[in-house]
Amino acid sequence: MEPQQQPNEENGSSGKEGFVCRQSSTRWTPTTEQIRILKELYYNNGVRSPSADQIQRISARLRQYGKIEGKNVFYWFQNHKARERQKKRFNTTTTTDHHVPMQRPNAAANGNNSKLYPTITPGYSSSSNGVLTVGQIGNYGYGSSSGGTSYVFFDKKRFIGEDDYDV
Amino acid sequence: MEPQQQPNEENGSSGKEGFVCRQSSTRWTPTTEQIRILKELYYNNGVRSPSADQIQRISARLRQYGKIEGKNVFYWFQNHKARERQKKRFNTTTTTDHHVPMQRPNAAANGNNSKLYPTITPGYSSSSNGVLTVGQIGNYGYGSSSGGTSYVFFDKKRFIGEDDYDV
DNA sequence: CAGGTATGAATGAAAG
DNA sequence: CTTTCATTCATACCTG
C-alpha cells in the first residue's frame, strides 16, 4: 500500500532530464524533494490552501528540484487536503464496526494527529505580501458595487436550493 | 487546459438524452456541444457574467443538446472566469499595472458575428421578450443607470423552475 | 502483461 | 468575485 515511488531525485535538480521525454507530455511527477517540502509545508506549517501569492513562492522554491508550475502546487494542496479529509470521512459514526480496512488512516504518517493541525501559525499568514483580497480587486469599471450587484443579492437560496417554487 | 476528453458526449446529440449510461450523479455533465457553445459565447462574445435573461436564453439553447438548467450555465461562467483569473494569478506576478490593463470584453465579434447566437445582436432585440441582450461591450448588462434594476427584479425561480414553460 | 492503488488534473457546485 | 469542497477522470507506478 502506498507504493511511494522513489524515482531518485535526479529529475531536474542535478540529474538529467533523461526520463523527461516520457513524463513531460503528461502530468507532473513530483520529485521526492518536492514532496518532502510540500509535506513539510502542509504538516509543519499548516499550509492547506495557499493563496496565489504563496503558490508562486512555493513553486519558485520547488523549481529548484524539478520542473513545476503554479497549478501543480495548487492541485497538490487541494488533493492532499481533500484525500485526507475523505479518508477521515469514513470513520465517523460508530467506532466498532468498519470492515474493509483498505488503509489505516495515516496516523503515524504525520504524527501530529493528536492536535491535528498545529495551529495555523497566526503570524505568517500575511507576511510576504499585503494583497489581501478585499472584495473584488479587478473592478474594471463595470463595477457592480452600485446597483444590485451580484447574484447573492437575489437570494442564492432560491436560486439553488429552490425551496420555493412560485410561478 | 481542456484536454478533458469527455467520454460521454452523446448526451443528446446522437441519441436519447434520457439517460446516458450512468449519469445518476446529481451533477450536470455537459456535452461537448454544450461546452463548445459555452466557450463560443465566452470567447467570441465576451460573455462572462451573463444576466438572468441571458442565462435563461442560453440554457434554453443548450437544452437541445442535453439536460441542463439555468444554474448550470450560471456556474459554468462563474467557474470559467474564476479559473482563468486564478490560473493567471499564480503564474504572473502582479507587478506594475494598476491601471486598467484589462481585457475589454472583446468586441472583436466583428465579422464573426454569425447567427450562432440569435439574440446577441449589438443593437437590441425587442421581440416578445424585449430583454435587450447586450452582447459584448464592457457593460455586462447591469450598467444601465436608469434600468439597472434588472437583477433585483428578475425571477430567479425561472432558472431552476424553468421546467418546460418555454416554447 | 494484467490488475490495483495512489495521485495529478479537471470541473461542477457551493460557500464566503 | 474569491475560495473551497466534492467527485470524477486519467495516468504513473508498483505488484503479482
Side-chain angles (χ1 to χ4, degrees), chain B residues 5 25 27 49 78 81-83 85-86 89:
Chain B
Q5 39 209 352
S25 313
R27 168 169 158 169
S49 299
Q78 279 231 147
K81 177 176 180 174
R83 298 214 154 101
R85 278 181 68 100
Q86 184 183 59
R89 199 163 308 187

Side-chain angles (χ1 to χ4, degrees), chain B residues 20-51:
Chain B
V20 198
C21 303
R22 176 85 172 93
Q23 198 184 344
S24 343
S25 313
T26 354
R27 168 169 158 169
W28 168 59
T29 54
T31 67
T32 47
E33 295 301 302
Q34 289 174 332
I35 291 179
R36 191 178 58 76
I37 294 173
L38 286 167
K39 286 186 177 176
E40 181 106 11
L41 287 167
Y42 188 89
Y43 293 110
N44 263 328
N45 294 300
V47 176
R48 290 155 66 99
S49 299
S51 62

Side-chain angles (χ1 to χ4, degrees), chain A residues 20-130:
Chain A
V20 158
C21 318
R22 285 281 195 277
Q23 56 159 110
S24 59
S25 29
T26 1
R27 69 193 210 181
W28 165 64
T29 55
T31 66
T32 47
E33 296 301 302
Q34 290 174 331
I35 292 179
R36 187 178 60 75
I37 295 174
L38 285 167
K39 286 189 177 177
E40 178 105 6
L41 287 167
Y42 188 90
Y43 295 112
N44 235 344
N45 292 302
V47 177
R48 287 151 57 98
S49 298
S51 290
D53 159 54
Q54 291 175 292
I55 289 175
Q56 287 184 54
R57 191 151 35 106
I58 294 169
S59 64
R61 171 134 91 98
L62 294 179
R63 194 162 295 120
Q64 294 176 122
Y65 306 99
K67 197 188 68 172
I68 192 174
E69 294 175 64
K71 72 172 188 177
N72 301 131
V73 175
F74 173 76
Y75 284 136
W76 191 90
F77 279 96
Q78 284 289 122
N79 283 320
H80 203 74
K81 184 175 167 185
R83 314 254 209 237
E84 198 175 64
R85 183 177 183 137
Q86 182 180 250
K87 272 166 187 167
K88 213 146 204 177
R89 171 119 192 169
F90 270 157
N91 172 351
T92 34
T93 62
T94 316
T95 50
T96 42
D97 114 301
H98 65 350
H99 49 20
V100 60
M102 60 200 247
Q103 177 177 350
R104 278 186 55 76
N106 45 3
N110 35 42
N112 57 17
N113 239 5
S114 21
K115 46 208 246 175
L116 275 169
Y117 314 119
T119 75
I120 310 297
T121 34
Y124 91 106
S125 20
S126 59
S127 51
S128 49
N129 88 337

Side-chain angles (χ1 to χ4, degrees), chain B residues 131-166:
Chain B
V131 218
L132 162 52
T133 57
V134 291
Q136 43 272 54
I137 322 304
N139 132 21
Y140 288 92
Y142 43 94
S144 320
S145 35
S146 47
T149 55
S150 44
Y151 267 150
V152 201
F153 282 50
F154 81 86
D155 301 277
K156 51 278 192 174
K157 297 139 197 160
R158 278 306 213 274
F159 289 180
I160 31 107
E162 60 177 336
D163 294 284
D164 42 292
Y165 94 101
D166 64 274

Side-chain angles (χ1 to χ4, degrees), chain A residues 52 56 140 151 159-160 162, chain B residues 50 74-75 85 89 159-160:
Chain A
Q56 287 184 54
Y140 307 112
Y151 285 88
F159 187 62
I160 293 159
E162 193 213 345
Chain B
F74 172 76
Y75 283 136
R85 278 181 68 100
R89 199 163 308 187
F159 289 180
I160 31 107

